[in-house]
Amino acid sequence: MTTRAEEQIRADIVEVGRRLYARGFVASNDGNISVRLDETRLITTPKSVSKGFMTPDMMVVVDYDGRKLAGERDPSSELPMHLEIYRNRPDANAVVHAHPPLATGFAVAGIPLTRAVLAEVVTTLGSIPIAEYGTPSTPELPEAVRKYIKAHDGLLLANHGAVTCCRTVMSAYFKMETIEHFAKISLVARLLGREHLLSREEVQRLQGLRGMYGIAAPAPVCSDPAEASGDQASCQILEAPESATERLVPDVPSLLRQASRDGEIRLTYRELTALIADAVKSLRD
Ligand SMILES: [Zn+2]
């Protein structure tokens, strides 16, 4: 028999799955969602089912060692990653994993979302690092996630996707939305060739606002890399310039202007060979 609270959790998981699918954050049967029921049980999405078309009765109840306790279907093979997050984050009651295409593009390119650019991202997530690649469905993935999850509510997974955790399944889903939105804005800014970063002072001010918005950040933001000493288990490392006028990320147009002023043109090996091939071809024609 399911309690009223459990019924609500099942309905919320169905709704989050529907939104993940509707927004294109998952394709086919990708992605998985889980929520703590109590100290001994959690409930999770089944394997081999599109997250856009689930019903509340499809969910699987498991213990914190991943053993199935109830449900007709089997849990996702990514369940060990969820279990690892619950072990490391007693404050987190829900985990959402998806493959949102822009965020996953950054994860494939090996570019973390760690620049201080948008105030709402600094206050709700801080930095979003990339957990090293681990073969899906093997212990490598939980191992890679363990290193960062204590200090971060959202991670990119190298060559794979993204994962978030929070107090409720809806808030974990909203963090996934924020990551994808941030990836989209970052991509546009980089294509336009300009990315103005928030200063360290502004980052510190935003850090102070986190409490006011009721966001229990897992770890403080370190905008000074020296103070963080590379420890991403206890500190969120955000790239932010020391002063509001300093630029950490040069503009692409100014780099190009600089190149033409110096009379120097820089080409990659591929661009150079393409130019030579073109020249040879036009000589022959
Ligand atoms: Zn996945």
Side-chain angles (χ1 to χ4, degrees), residues 41-255:
R41 300 175 310 144
L42 64 110
I43 188 162
T44 183
T45 47
K47 67 154 70 158
S48 310
V49 165
S50 167
K51 303 305 163 296
F53 302 91
M54 296 186 294
T55 51
D57 58 298
M58 285 182 179
M59 305 308 156
V60 191
V61 179
V62 296
D63 66 15
Y64 286 90
D65 291 318
R67 282 185 292 259
K68 186 164 106 171
L69 302 174
E72 284 174 19
R73 294 164 187 267
D74 286 327
S76 155
S77 54
E78 299 297 12
L79 182 64
M81 175 175 71
H82 292 236
L83 298 173
E84 191 63 42
I85 294 175
Y86 291 120
R87 271 194 281 274
N88 286 281
R89 291 289 300 275
D91 61 308
N93 292 322
V95 174
V96 171
H97 164 56
H99 305 163
L102 285 130
T104 305
F106 275 83
V108 168
I111 303 170
L113 292 166
T114 49
R115 289 181 183 170
V117 175
L118 299 172
E120 70 272 19
V121 177
V122 176
T123 50
T124 59
L125 277 146
S127 75
I128 305 152
I130 305 179
E132 289 77 13
Y133 181 75
T135 307
S137 317
T138 72
E140 287 174 15
L141 191 57
E143 184 70 35
V145 165
R146 183 185 310 143
K147 187 171 158 195
Y148 301 93
I149 200 67
K150 278 199 179 111
H152 302 84
D153 283 350
L155 306 178
L156 301 181
L157 308 173
N159 294 74
H160 183 164
V163 66
T164 56
C165 66
C166 206
R167 280 194 297 266
T168 69
V169 68
M170 273 298 164
S171 44
Y173 166 75
F174 285 133
K175 284 187 193 271
M176 186 64 76
E177 262 193 359
T178 301
I179 290 179
E180 181 64 351
H181 198 61
F182 183 31
K184 197 182 282 183
I185 292 166
S186 297
L187 180 65
V188 171
R190 290 178 200 191
L191 286 173
L192 292 172
R194 285 210 173 100
E195 205 176 10
H196 294 189
L197 269 52
L198 302 174
S199 68
R200 285 184 196 175
E201 194 190 343
E202 180 60 13
V203 168
Q204 289 311 320
R205 203 175 295 145
L206 292 168
Q207 158 92 0
L209 290 178
R210 284 175 152 191
M212 204 178 87
Y213 288 117
I215 298 153
V221 166
C222 316
S223 47
D224 180 357
E227 131 202 5
S229 64
D231 176 15
Q232 298 203 61
S234 59
C235 179
Q236 297 194 348
I237 303 170
L238 263 188
E239 295 168 56
E242 260 180 88
S243 74
T245 50
E246 191 196 343
R247 301 289 308 280
L248 281 188
V249 187
D251 293 349
V252 172
S254 70
L255 280 179

